[in-house]
């Protein structure tokens, strides 16, 4: 199969994420079948896709490459790739992929757009687990470049590489997540900051509005062009090591204990 030619893409779910995923692959020249079981979502799909066309100034003709289906069988028939964008419920996702596996070829790559559930668990009962991979698109998927490609305990290296190449050709920025942990990379970073934000407000350091202003008007804009590891290199590792020690010393002197505001929020398990 030549992945530089038009592919047949199956998308499960035509909702918030699914319609954007369908759009970006159609815009890249592929034919996309969307399975959407709910008639109201299925009927509104053309209008929601057209809104993206108008937003991006694209050619409306690309929408002719997207077809909505009320049958999983017809939507998945002949698919080279499947991207699942169903609700975040593990039993539902497992049921969907069990059904899909019976409809597609053994070579079809099966990708889950879960934002937190490991694809190891989603595909645990599949016969061909090596072709199961996580592809965490960010909302809205037709605008946000990043896609986390998560290699689970059975995913083959070839499937990871083919998936990343496919996404690059569709204009995305894929990253390889080598361990299939809950939340992956992006959401774990987001929620680490949220845990600290909640701790600061709960401790009376500031109110919620102040937290949001500090992020928006402070380091938030900088993170769009400079990641946390790059920022550490920019300011110097000596300073990075000094700052938490200074905060800890001040906290110890004031409170008579070694537990700082930062250490109250424990990181989530990497298991």
């Amino acid at each position: 199969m030549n992945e530089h030619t038009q592919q047949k893409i199956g998308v499960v779910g035509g909702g918030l994420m699914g319609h954007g995923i369908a759009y970006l692959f159609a815009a890249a020249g592929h034919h996309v079948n969307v399975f959407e079981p709910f008639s109201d979502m299925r009927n509104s799909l053309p209008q929601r896709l057209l809104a993206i066309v108008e937003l991006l100034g694209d050619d409306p003709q690309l929408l002719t490459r997207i077809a909505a289906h009320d049958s999983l069988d017809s939507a998945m028939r002949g698919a080279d790739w499947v991207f699942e964008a169903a609700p975040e419920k593990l039993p539902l996702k497992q049921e969907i992929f069990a059904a899909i596996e019976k409809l597609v070829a053994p070579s079809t790559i099966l990708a889950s757009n879960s934002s937190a559930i490991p694809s190891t668990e989603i595909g645990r009962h599949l016969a061909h687990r090596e072709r199961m991979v996580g592809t965490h698109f960010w909302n809205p998927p037709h605008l946000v470049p990043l896609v986390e490609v998560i290699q689970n305990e059975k995913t083959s290296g070839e499937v990871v590489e083919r998936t990343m190449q496919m996404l690059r050709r569709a204009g995305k920025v894929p990253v390889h997540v080598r361990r299939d942990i809950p939340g992956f990379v992006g959401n774990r970073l987001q929620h680490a900051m949220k845990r600290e934000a909640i701790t600061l407000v709960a401790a009376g350091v500031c109110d919620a509005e102040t937290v949001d202003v500090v992020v928006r008007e402070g380091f938030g804009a900088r993170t769009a062009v400079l990641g946390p590891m790059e920022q550490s290199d920019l300011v110097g590792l000596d300073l990075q090591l000094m700052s938490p020690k200074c905060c800890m010393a001040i906290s110890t002197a004031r409170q008579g204990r070694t537990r700082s505001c930062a250490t109250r929020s424990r990181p989530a398990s990497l298991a």
Side-chain angles (χ1 to χ4, degrees):
M1 182 175 64
N2 184 355
E3 292 169 11
H4 292 278
T5 61
Q6 185 186 64
Q7 301 290 291
K8 294 188 72 174
I9 310 291
V11 174
V12 179
L16 183 65
M17 297 298 292
H19 86 291
I21 293 172
Y23 186 93
L24 69 91
F25 283 118
H30 304 295
H31 179 76
V32 185
N33 284 331
V34 180
F35 167 63
E36 175 49 63
F38 297 104
S39 60
D40 56 340
M41 294 296 290
R42 200 166 55 248
N43 294 336
S44 68
L45 185 60
Q47 289 75 29
R48 289 183 285 123
L49 292 170
L50 185 59
I52 301 177
V53 167
E54 294 171 349
L55 174 67
L56 300 180
D58 287 338
D59 183 354
Q61 280 297 111
L62 74 86
L63 299 184
T64 62
R65 293 193 284 269
I66 303 175
H69 296 255
D70 61 0
S71 163
L72 185 66
D73 189 347
S74 63
M76 299 298 111
R77 190 176 296 127
D80 300 306
W81 303 74
V82 174
F83 292 89
E84 167 267 321
E88 291 286 84
K89 298 177 181 179
L90 177 58
L92 174 61
K93 290 180 183 289
Q94 289 177 329
E95 180 182 342
I96 288 170
F97 278 105
I100 291 172
E101 188 173 45
K102 297 174 182 178
L103 301 172
V104 299
S107 59
T108 301
I109 293 179
L110 306 181
S112 174
N113 178 54
S114 174
S115 60
I117 304 173
S119 60
T120 300
E121 297 304 321
I122 295 171
R124 185 165 295 281
H125 306 298
L126 297 179
H128 298 279
R129 296 179 64 191
E130 71 283 351
R131 44 86 172 267
M132 179 80 191
V133 66
T135 50
H136 177 211
F137 293 81
W138 287 72
N139 186 34
H142 52 282
L143 295 180
V144 181
L146 180 68
V147 182
E148 293 176 280
V149 178
I150 304 101
Q151 181 171 11
N152 68 48
E153 62 185 31
K154 295 293 184 179
T155 312
S156 75
E158 180 189 2
V159 165
V160 171
E161 183 55 34
R162 285 177 59 193
T163 301
M164 294 184 70
Q165 289 177 3
M166 179 75 161
L167 291 165
R168 287 191 193 102
R169 285 193 289 272
K172 309 311 287 181
V173 179
V175 293
H176 182 189
V177 180
R178 293 175 171 82
R179 285 185 58 194
D180 190 22
I181 59 174
F184 321 126
V185 176
N187 272 329
R188 295 181 79 94
L189 290 171
Q190 280 196 134
H191 288 287
M193 184 174 69
K194 287 182 182 179
R195 287 194 302 270
E196 185 65 12
I198 292 168
T199 298
L200 289 167
V201 174
V205 175
C206 61
D207 58 20
E209 182 182 6
T210 298
V211 169
D212 290 338
V213 171
V214 167
V215 174
R216 285 199 313 268
E217 307 299 331
F219 62 86
R222 184 178 65 195
T223 57
V225 294
L226 195 69
M229 308 303 279
E230 293 173 313
Q231 189 266 343
S232 295
D233 281 338
L234 179 66
V235 302
L237 296 180
D238 289 346
L239 179 59
Q240 289 295 300
L241 290 171
M242 185 187 307
S243 295
K245 290 178 181 178
C246 180
C247 290
M248 182 69 76
I250 294 171
S251 177
T252 301
R254 287 181 176 176
Q255 301 179 27
R257 54 192 173 92
T258 60
R259 228 176 138 207
S260 73
C261 189
T263 56
R264 260 187 233 121
S265 257
R266 297 181 180 274
S269 170
L270 289 178

PDB file of all heavy atoms in Angstrom, residues 152-164:
ATOM      1  N   ASN A 152       1.807   1.543  22.632  1.00  0.00           N
ATOM      2  CA  ASN A 152       1.475   0.734  23.801  1.00  0.00           C
ATOM      3  C   ASN A 152       2.358  -0.503  23.863  1.00  0.00           C
ATOM      4  O   ASN A 152       3.281  -0.674  23.054  1.00  0.00           O
ATOM      5  CB  ASN A 152      -0.027   0.401  23.838  1.00  0.00           C
ATOM      6  CG  ASN A 152      -0.456  -0.545  22.737  1.00  0.00           C
ATOM      7  OD1 ASN A 152       0.153  -1.576  22.490  1.00  0.00           O
ATOM      8  ND2 ASN A 152      -1.551  -0.187  22.063  1.00  0.00           N
ATOM      9  N   GLU A 153       2.086  -1.387  24.792  1.00  0.00           N
ATOM     10  CA  GLU A 153       2.992  -2.511  25.048  1.00  0.00           C
ATOM     11  C   GLU A 153       3.073  -3.504  23.893  1.00  0.00           C
ATOM     12  O   GLU A 153       3.983  -4.322  23.836  1.00  0.00           O
ATOM     13  CB  GLU A 153       2.575  -3.246  26.319  1.00  0.00           C
ATOM     14  CG  GLU A 153       1.184  -3.859  26.256  1.00  0.00           C
ATOM     15  CD  GLU A 153       0.754  -4.480  27.570  1.00  0.00           C
ATOM     16  OE1 GLU A 153       1.175  -3.993  28.638  1.00  0.00           O
ATOM     17  OE2 GLU A 153      -0.002  -5.468  27.537  1.00  0.00           O
ATOM     18  N   LYS A 154       2.132  -3.429  22.943  1.00  0.00           N
ATOM     19  CA  LYS A 154       2.130  -4.352  21.816  1.00  0.00           C
ATOM     20  C   LYS A 154       2.327  -3.672  20.459  1.00  0.00           C
ATOM     21  O   LYS A 154       2.555  -4.345  19.458  1.00  0.00           O
ATOM     22  CB  LYS A 154       0.806  -5.129  21.783  1.00  0.00           C
ATOM     23  CG  LYS A 154       0.577  -6.047  22.977  1.00  0.00           C
ATOM     24  CD  LYS A 154       1.562  -7.203  22.981  1.00  0.00           C
ATOM     25  CE  LYS A 154       1.266  -8.172  24.120  1.00  0.00           C
ATOM     26  NZ  LYS A 154       2.207  -9.311  24.123  1.00  0.00           N
ATOM     27  N   THR A 155       2.222  -2.352  20.408  1.00  0.00           N
ATOM     28  CA  THR A 155       2.305  -1.643  19.124  1.00  0.00           C
ATOM     29  C   THR A 155       3.657  -1.860  18.456  1.00  0.00           C
ATOM     30  O   THR A 155       4.703  -1.690  19.088  1.00  0.00           O
ATOM     31  CB  THR A 155       2.107  -0.131  19.312  1.00  0.00           C
ATOM     32  OG1 THR A 155       0.973   0.110  20.135  1.00  0.00           O
ATOM     33  CG2 THR A 155       1.899   0.553  17.969  1.00  0.00           C
ATOM     34  N   SER A 156       3.638  -2.204  17.179  1.00  0.00           N
ATOM     35  CA  SER A 156       4.897  -2.384  16.452  1.00  0.00           C
ATOM     36  C   SER A 156       5.512  -1.035  16.114  1.00  0.00           C
ATOM     37  O   SER A 156       4.804  -0.029  15.943  1.00  0.00           O
ATOM     38  CB  SER A 156       4.667  -3.192  15.174  1.00  0.00           C
ATOM     39  OG  SER A 156       4.039  -2.395  14.189  1.00  0.00           O
ATOM     40  N   GLY A 157       6.829  -1.012  16.016  1.00  0.00           N
ATOM     41  CA  GLY A 157       7.523   0.214  15.646  1.00  0.00           C
ATOM     42  C   GLY A 157       7.115   0.696  14.269  1.00  0.00           C
ATOM     43  O   GLY A 157       7.054   1.900  14.015  1.00  0.00           O
ATOM     44  N   GLU A 158       6.837  -0.238  13.366  1.00  0.00           N
ATOM     45  CA  GLU A 158       6.419   0.126  12.024  1.00  0.00           C
ATOM     46  C   GLU A 158       5.104   0.884  12.036  1.00  0.00           C
ATOM     47  O   GLU A 158       4.926   1.874  11.304  1.00  0.00           O
ATOM     48  CB  GLU A 158       6.269  -1.123  11.145  1.00  0.00           C
ATOM     49  CG  GLU A 158       5.825  -0.828   9.727  1.00  0.00           C
ATOM     50  CD  GLU A 158       5.470  -2.083   8.940  1.00  0.00           C
ATOM     51  OE1 GLU A 158       5.536  -3.186   9.514  1.00  0.00           O
ATOM     52  OE2 GLU A 158       5.104  -1.944   7.749  1.00  0.00           O
ATOM     53  N   VAL A 159       4.156   0.434  12.867  1.00  0.00           N
ATOM     54  CA  VAL A 159       2.858   1.101  12.969  1.00  0.00           C
ATOM     55  C   VAL A 159       3.028   2.521  13.500  1.00  0.00           C
ATOM     56  O   VAL A 159       2.404   3.466  13.007  1.00  0.00           O
ATOM     57  CB  VAL A 159       1.893   0.288  13.847  1.00  0.00           C
ATOM     58  CG1 VAL A 159       0.687   1.131  14.262  1.00  0.00           C
ATOM     59  CG2 VAL A 159       1.425  -0.962  13.111  1.00  0.00           C
ATOM     60  N   VAL A 160       3.901   2.695  14.485  1.00  0.00           N
ATOM     61  CA  VAL A 160       4.158   4.029  15.032  1.00  0.00           C
ATOM     62  C   VAL A 160       4.711   4.947  13.941  1.00  0.00           C
ATOM     63  O   VAL A 160       4.236   6.072  13.748  1.00  0.00           O
ATOM     64  CB  VAL A 160       5.143   3.961  16.219  1.00  0.00           C
ATOM     65  CG1 VAL A 160       5.583   5.367  16.637  1.00  0.00           C
ATOM     66  CG2 VAL A 160       4.505   3.254  17.403  1.00  0.00           C
ATOM     67  N   GLU A 161       5.703   4.465  13.215  1.00  0.00           N
ATOM     68  CA  GLU A 161       6.340   5.285  12.188  1.00  0.00           C
ATOM     69  C   GLU A 161       5.378   5.610  11.053  1.00  0.00           C
ATOM     70  O   GLU A 161       5.318   6.749  10.580  1.00  0.00           O
ATOM     71  CB  GLU A 161       7.584   4.583  11.642  1.00  0.00           C
ATOM     72  CG  GLU A 161       8.362   5.403  10.619  1.00  0.00           C
ATOM     73  CD  GLU A 161       8.764   6.782  11.131  1.00  0.00           C
ATOM     74  OE1 GLU A 161       9.053   6.936  12.341  1.00  0.00           O
ATOM     75  OE2 GLU A 161       8.777   7.725  10.306  1.00  0.00           O
ATOM     76  N   ARG A 162       4.605   4.631  10.609  1.00  0.00           N
ATOM     77  CA  ARG A 162       3.636   4.884   9.539  1.00  0.00           C
ATOM     78  C   ARG A 162       2.587   5.900   9.982  1.00  0.00           C
ATOM     79  O   ARG A 162       2.175   6.768   9.197  1.00  0.00           O
ATOM     80  CB  ARG A 162       2.957   3.579   9.132  1.00  0.00           C
ATOM     81  CG  ARG A 162       3.825   2.652   8.291  1.00  0.00           C
ATOM     82  CD  ARG A 162       3.103   1.357   7.993  1.00  0.00           C
ATOM     83  NE  ARG A 162       1.849   1.582   7.282  1.00  0.00           N
ATOM     84  CZ  ARG A 162       0.914   0.648   7.132  1.00  0.00           C
ATOM     85  NH1 ARG A 162       1.065  -0.555   7.669  1.00  0.00           N
ATOM     86  NH2 ARG A 162      -0.189   0.919   6.458  1.00  0.00           N
ATOM     87  N   THR A 163       2.164   5.783  11.230  1.00  0.00           N
ATOM     88  CA  THR A 163       1.161   6.714  11.745  1.00  0.00           C
ATOM     89  C   THR A 163       1.709   8.133  11.806  1.00  0.00           C
ATOM     90  O   THR A 163       1.034   9.099  11.416  1.00  0.00           O
ATOM     91  CB  THR A 163       0.689   6.271  13.144  1.00  0.00           C
ATOM     92  OG1 THR A 163       0.140   4.944  13.060  1.00  0.00           O
ATOM     93  CG2 THR A 163      -0.370   7.211  13.689  1.00  0.00           C
ATOM     94  N   MET A 164       2.945   8.272  12.262  1.00  0.00           N
ATOM     95  CA  MET A 164       3.544   9.596  12.341  1.00  0.00           C
ATOM     96  C   MET A 164       3.748  10.193  10.952  1.00  0.00           C
ATOM     97  O   MET A 164       3.527  11.394  10.746  1.00  0.00           O
ATOM     98  CB  MET A 164       4.859   9.532  13.124  1.00  0.00           C
ATOM     99  CG  MET A 164       4.638   9.175  14.597  1.00  0.00           C
ATOM    100  SD  MET A 164       6.131   9.196  15.619  1.00  0.00           S
ATOM    101  CE  MET A 164       6.492  10.951  15.685  1.00  0.00           C
TER     102      MET A 164
END
